[in-house]
Amino acid sequence: MKECPSCRVRVLVDAKACPLCHAALTESDGIPPLQAYPKPERVLRRRHLLIRLLAFLSLLGAVCCIMINELTDVSLRWWPYPVGAICYLWLATPTFFVRGQNPAGQIFWQAVLAQGFLSLLDALAGGIGWSIFAIWPALGCAVNVGIAVLMVVRRQWAPYALYQLFGVLFGLTPLVLHLAGVCKTLVLPLISAAFSLSSLFAVLMFGGDNVRQEFRRRFHF
């Protein structure tokens, strides 16, 4: 039986090179390796089977919600809410398992994705506007506070400064929509704008030269 000296795995298939790193295989020296190839394949197959099962259950749940709503009370269309939640979970959950991703970026893009889905649900439910005058300001405050807390806890300013700026723009958008006449309520957009600008000033003050150099490097000024 052969094994890979680099990966320390025992190769159970007939091969001259390691299927993982393509290094030359050697004869087994009798020392138990860390794991045997293709055992990882079986783990991946079980994971893929679980993902397919969850996808099937999600699709089945969405279809059941639509059928129940259409067959019982069509005057109140509530099915977009559970179906939208299922779609959001399938799009948002994989981002948490991406290695090496900026955590501030995860916070920001999760908020953008959530706002997009909630705006779609708001439009499907009749376009009342709650996703703009209530949810968007709340997400704007949450994004800016979350990234600011991340900076303080990790004591790193420059790596998260760009997403902090994106969060500030995200938090200021409800106020811009109010000035444009899209959002009728002023209180919540004003609170979101205040949180956003306060977090930006705090980052510029406490981040020091590192944050300013990061902005100069990103925007070339």
Side-chain angles (χ1 to χ4, degrees):
M1 187 174 295
K2 296 182 179 181
E3 67 178 28
C4 176
S6 301
C7 302
R8 293 296 298 162
V9 296
R10 182 176 297 166
V11 179
L12 305 180
V13 297
D14 185 15
K16 295 182 179 180
C18 176
L20 302 177
C21 68
H22 304 290
L25 299 177
T26 60
E27 293 294 332
S28 177
D29 54 5
I31 301 175
L34 296 178
Q35 54 187 345
Y37 181 90
K39 186 176 180 181
E41 286 284 338
R42 298 169 188 165
V43 176
L44 291 177
R45 288 176 183 173
R46 285 196 289 267
R47 186 180 303 171
H48 292 162
L49 178 61
L50 178 62
I51 293 175
R52 293 191 188 99
L53 179 61
L54 292 175
F56 172 75
L57 293 177
S58 300
L59 180 61
L60 181 62
V63 172
C64 289
C65 290
I66 296 174
M67 291 182 62
I68 292 173
N69 191 186
E70 294 298 328
L71 294 175
T72 55
D73 185 10
V74 294
S75 61
L76 178 62
R77 295 189 181 276
W78 50 263
W79 66 262
Y81 296 97
V83 173
I86 292 173
C87 295
Y88 170 76
L89 289 174
W90 274 102
L91 291 175
T93 303
T95 61
F96 289 106
F97 300 97
V98 178
R99 295 182 179 179
Q101 188 173 355
N102 192 319
Q106 289 182 329
I107 295 174
F108 174 75
W109 290 116
Q110 288 291 333
V112 172
L113 188 60
Q115 180 59 44
F117 268 105
L118 291 173
S119 298
L120 178 61
L121 294 179
D122 188 10
L124 292 175
I128 301 175
W130 53 265
S131 62
I132 296 178
F133 66 76
I135 301 298
W136 199 324
L139 287 175
C141 294
V143 167
N144 286 285
V145 172
I147 297 178
V149 170
L150 184 66
M151 289 178 169
V152 173
V153 171
R154 297 200 172 186
R155 297 181 180 179
Q156 294 179 345
W157 302 87
Y160 310 132
L162 182 62
Y163 284 107
Q164 181 72 54
L165 180 61
F166 289 163
V168 169
L169 297 177
F170 183 80
L172 290 174
T173 304
L175 183 59
V176 175
L177 293 176
H178 171 77
L179 297 176
V182 178
C183 178
K184 304 301 181 182
T185 306
L186 177 61
V187 177
L188 294 178
L190 197 59
I191 294 175
S192 177
F195 265 92
S196 303
L197 294 176
S198 298
S199 63
L200 178 61
F201 292 149
V203 168
L204 292 175
M205 290 178 60
F206 296 102
D209 293 335
N210 292 331
V211 174
R212 288 188 283 272
Q213 289 176 3
E214 178 69 13
F215 286 150
R216 295 191 191 100
R217 185 177 68 86
R218 293 283 185 174
F219 300 106
H220 307 286
F221 63 85

